[in-house]
Each structure stands twice: as structure tokens, then as C-alpha cells.
Amino acid sequence: MAKYDAFLSFRGSETRHHIAASLYKALLREGVHAFTDDQSLNRGEQIQPALFNAIEGSRVFYVVISKGYASSIWCLQELARICYCVETSARRVLPIFYDVDPSEVRKQIGCFGKAFAKHEERLRGDKETMEEVQRWREALTRVANRSGWVIGNESVILSHFMLNNHLLSISALSHISFFKKNLFRSYCVHIPEMVRKKHLSLLPSTSGIALASSTIMHAIRTYDVFVSFRGLDTRNNFAALLLQALHRNGIDAFNDNVHVMKGEFIESELYKAIDGSRNFIVVFSRNYASSTWCLRELAWICKNIETSTRRILPIFYVVDPLKVQKQSGCYEKAFMDHEERFRGAKEREQVWRWRKALKQVSHLPCLHIQNE
């Protein structure tokens, strides 16, 4: 029998008095019995055995991944034990990416790469311990491959939770939202005229591309449009406003923050959403090609349109369309990095497909947003 409804894993020095505290209080308000080390451990109790017992006795896991999370061996040990419990039972792990880019967590680059470099330097020569470090890496990658929330560090609003039947087995937070103070000040003027029209004709009819949900109907489709974008560049600005505008105008646009159940593996859910969408918008931004997620999405989108009448609308957001089309500048650097990383024959073929898809879509009639 589970002792706790939820276990909260977080880096105390960064989040204990901010998001972790807010999350814990919100769970309590909803009658959810949650474990945190500062609230649930008895004075004088040995920490590691108590933490592992709490993990094994919890139904669901919230992992708040912050910039210093991987610097803490305690956090990494918790995470490895959480992943073991998830893999060997029906429990769910729900990641919250707090002021970090999920791709950095997934690839262990940036501050996460530095943290692991220090661990490996300090533990070098100890085979058993190095194997444990590899398990920590794998645990981070597995968690970052799941759907979660990406929020900033200035203001967090936590609202009601969804409970699974009467078991208090939390399926997901229904809403965690983060808005910068002046989010709408600079961006509203850049939402194109298209969003004011009921049927969302994204380009003049002479362009041959219309994403009018009233005229392009496929009964088997789930979404009117799938929007592909680089979260690091656009999630809290242009992409957020675009998705809101589509929704206001009756256009059912896929939104991974809404339509993917938290804790599910992202990649398979994205492919399903692409397969189930009538048309596509691709927001090319400065770092779009740096993301293998985005490039996989793009290649899958191109594969879908080969055998259907569906259409793609490219939007160039504060990036030179010629650099995207020619794969020069930051796009050239991104592909050089991919080619350096993926050296196997099959992997090189995959990178070639990404280049082909990028070239195909970037030459289509488009919209160009030049100013942030």
C-alpha cells in the first residue's frame, strides 16, 4: 500500500522556497499527501534510506529539473530510483523544467554537461561508480523524453490537479502557466491578419495554400493544424500567441502542453498528432535546426504530405529565410553539429532527410515575421 500520493524531487538550493514550495502547498490544498524531505523526514533520520522508502511508497513523481539539478548527487540518485519504480510498475513521472531547456536535459549539454563532467572527473577510476553515473544520465534522458511543463523563474501559477478516479493517483497537473510580465506588450502586433478570420486563410488564395478548416475536411483527422516550433525560441512569445489566436478563431491546433498527457513519451505522441492533423504550420526560428526533435517533426510532416492533399505554411520568425533555405549561418552550424554527432550510415541518412525536408518546406510560400 502506498504511503504517499506524490513524491517531489527537486534541487533544494534553487527551488525549495519557490516552485517546490508552491507545488507542495497546491497539492496539500487538493488533499494530496505529498512527500518532500523538509516536510516529511524526522529529525535524525538517515536521509538516503528514508528517501528511497518514500519513493517506493509513492504513487506518482514530480521531478522539478532546475539548472543545478544534475550537480546534486542526491537528486540524481533519487531520479534513478524513480525511473526504476516507473519502469517496474504502472506509476508515472511528471517532469517540470524550471528555467531550463528540455533539450539540454535530454542531451546533457550546457550546465548539465558541465555537472556530469565534474562527476566523471571526480569518480574516474571507479568502474562501479562510473556505471552509476551512466544510469544517472540515462534516467535524465528518459525523464526529459516525457511530456512535462516548461516554465520560467519569475512567476508561477499552480492551479487545480486532476485525480484518477478515487485512488488519488495523480494523472497530471491540469495547468501550470508562466507568463512574463510584458509578454503581450511586444508581440500582439505581430500576429498576422489571418488570425482574425473565422476560417484562417493563412495566405491569399492565389498562393494555393489555405488552411481553412471549413473547406479541408478529413473525418479521420483529429486536429485542424499542427504547429511545429522551437520551444527555446518561441514557446513563451510568438508560438504561444499564435496558438491562442488559432484557438480563439475556432481552429483546433495541436498543443503539446495541452494535448499530450503529462508523463507520456513525447516523440510517439507528436507523430500521432502529425498523422492526425489536416495541415501544418512550421515556425522557423534561429535555433529550429539545432533541435533534433524539430527536425524529426519536420521530416515526419513532409512524409505525411507526400501522399495527401494537406499543406504546410512556413513562418520565418526573426530569421533570414535565405539562411534557412540555403542552410547557412546558424542553420549551417546546427547541421555541422548533427553530422559530427551522427556518424553512422543510418544516422547520416537521417540527417540528409532532415536537410531535404528543411529545403522542401523553406521554399514554400510563407510569412516572414522580422521583429520580436
Side-chain angles (χ1 to χ4, degrees):
M1 183 176 179
K3 185 177 180 180
Y4 299 100
D5 299 318
F7 181 96
L8 276 59
S9 176
F10 56 90
R11 180 76 159 113
S13 60
E14 294 177 322
T15 65
R16 187 182 302 280
H17 302 297
H18 305 290
I19 182 174
S22 298
L23 177 58
Y24 180 73
K25 290 176 183 177
L27 287 165
L28 286 182
R29 285 197 300 270
E30 295 297 323
V32 177
H33 187 200
F35 176 95
T36 64
D37 57 2
D38 59 337
Q39 299 289 335
S40 307
L41 287 179
N42 298 320
R43 297 291 181 185
E45 190 173 5
Q46 288 188 324
I47 296 176
Q48 189 180 55
L51 287 176
F52 285 1
N53 287 337
I55 290 170
E56 290 165 5
S58 297
R59 293 190 175 96
V60 71
F61 309 99
Y62 289 95
V63 179
V64 182
I65 302 177
S66 55
K67 289 180 178 178
Y69 188 90
S71 298
S72 167
I73 289 178
W74 285 107
C75 290
L76 295 171
Q77 288 175 337
E78 283 181 7
L79 189 66
R81 183 58 65 99
I82 286 169
C83 286
Y84 173 79
C85 290
V86 170
E87 290 170 2
T88 56
S89 67
R91 287 174 284 182
R92 186 181 295 271
V93 57
L94 306 170
I96 299 171
F97 301 96
Y98 181 65
D99 201 30
V100 297
D101 179 17
S103 67
E104 290 189 354
V105 183
R106 190 178 302 117
K107 300 173 185 176
Q108 285 116 58
I109 58 176
C111 56
F112 291 86
K114 292 178 182 178
F116 273 100
K118 289 181 180 179
H119 294 319
E120 289 166 351
E121 176 65 26
R122 185 170 61 85
L123 302 171
R124 181 176 296 172
D126 187 331
K127 181 179 179 182
E128 184 176 342
T129 309
M130 288 299 288
E131 288 175 353
E132 185 177 15
V133 172
Q134 182 58 33
R135 287 195 292 272
W136 297 343
R137 283 187 176 276
E138 291 169 357
L140 263 180
T141 299
R142 285 198 293 271
V143 171
N145 279 335
R146 293 179 180 269
S147 175
W149 298 270
V150 182
I151 62 177
N153 63 1
E154 289 133 348
S155 174
V156 179
I157 301 172
L158 297 168
S159 64
H160 66 280
F161 294 81
M162 297 180 66
L163 306 181
N164 182 14
N165 297 326
H166 304 292
L167 301 177
L168 287 177
S169 178
I170 307 166
S171 61
L173 282 166
S174 63
H175 182 64
I176 292 184
S177 60
F178 162 67
F179 292 98
K180 292 183 179 178
K181 183 178 180 181
N182 298 315
L183 178 65
F184 291 92
R185 183 182 65 187
S186 303
Y187 296 104
C188 283
V189 296
H190 299 304
I191 295 296
E193 180 69 19
M194 63 180 184
V195 301
R196 301 178 188 175
K197 299 181 180 181
K198 175 64 178 176
H199 299 302
L200 192 67
S201 196
L202 294 180
L203 287 175
S205 57
T206 55
S207 71
I209 299 180
L211 294 181
S213 61
S214 61
T215 58
I216 304 178
M217 298 298 295
H218 302 277
I220 63 172
R221 301 300 177 200
T222 304
Y223 305 103
D224 295 322
V225 63
F226 180 97
V227 183
S228 176
F229 60 91
R230 177 70 160 118
L232 178 67
D233 295 339
T234 66
R235 184 179 295 278
N236 292 322
N237 43 63
F238 181 77
L241 293 175
L242 176 60
L243 289 167
Q244 291 170 15
L246 291 167
H247 179 72
R248 284 197 305 271
N249 285 272
I251 304 301
D252 185 14
F254 173 81
N255 184 340
D256 59 350
N257 273 338
V258 175
H259 296 115
V260 178
M261 180 174 286
K262 302 308 179 187
E264 292 293 331
F265 285 110
I266 300 173
E267 188 170 21
S268 59
E269 295 301 314
L270 289 176
Y271 288 168
K272 288 178 187 176
I274 291 171
D275 290 342
S277 295
R278 295 184 178 94
N279 292 283
F280 310 96
I281 298 174
V282 179
V283 182
F284 290 118
S285 56
R286 180 175 178 80
N287 294 297
Y288 186 92
S290 298
S291 168
T292 56
W293 284 103
C294 290
L295 294 171
R296 288 190 185 107
E297 282 181 8
L298 189 66
W300 198 261
I301 287 170
C302 288
K303 182 178 179 180
N304 267 261
I305 66 170
E306 288 175 358
T307 56
S308 69
T309 58
R310 290 177 282 176
R311 297 289 185 267
I312 303 174
L313 171 72
I315 299 177
F316 297 93
Y317 176 71
V318 198
V319 67
D320 185 351
L322 286 177
K323 288 185 177 180
V324 181
Q325 292 165 7
K326 296 179 180 180
Q327 294 163 32
S328 62
C330 54
Y331 276 68
E332 179 183 23
K333 183 181 183 303
F335 274 103
M336 287 175 64
D337 290 343
H338 295 320
E339 287 165 352
E340 175 65 25
R341 179 182 171 199
F342 301 115
R343 296 189 173 187
K346 290 185 178 179
E347 292 174 327
R348 298 282 290 198
E349 183 180 351
Q350 176 180 247
V351 174
W352 176 81
R353 286 197 296 269
W354 294 345
R355 283 189 177 276
K356 180 181 177 183
L358 188 67
K359 186 174 182 180
Q360 176 183 346
V361 175
S362 64
H363 280 83
L364 295 173
C366 66
L367 294 173
H368 186 194
I369 309 298
Q370 300 187 52
N371 299 310
E372 290 189 88

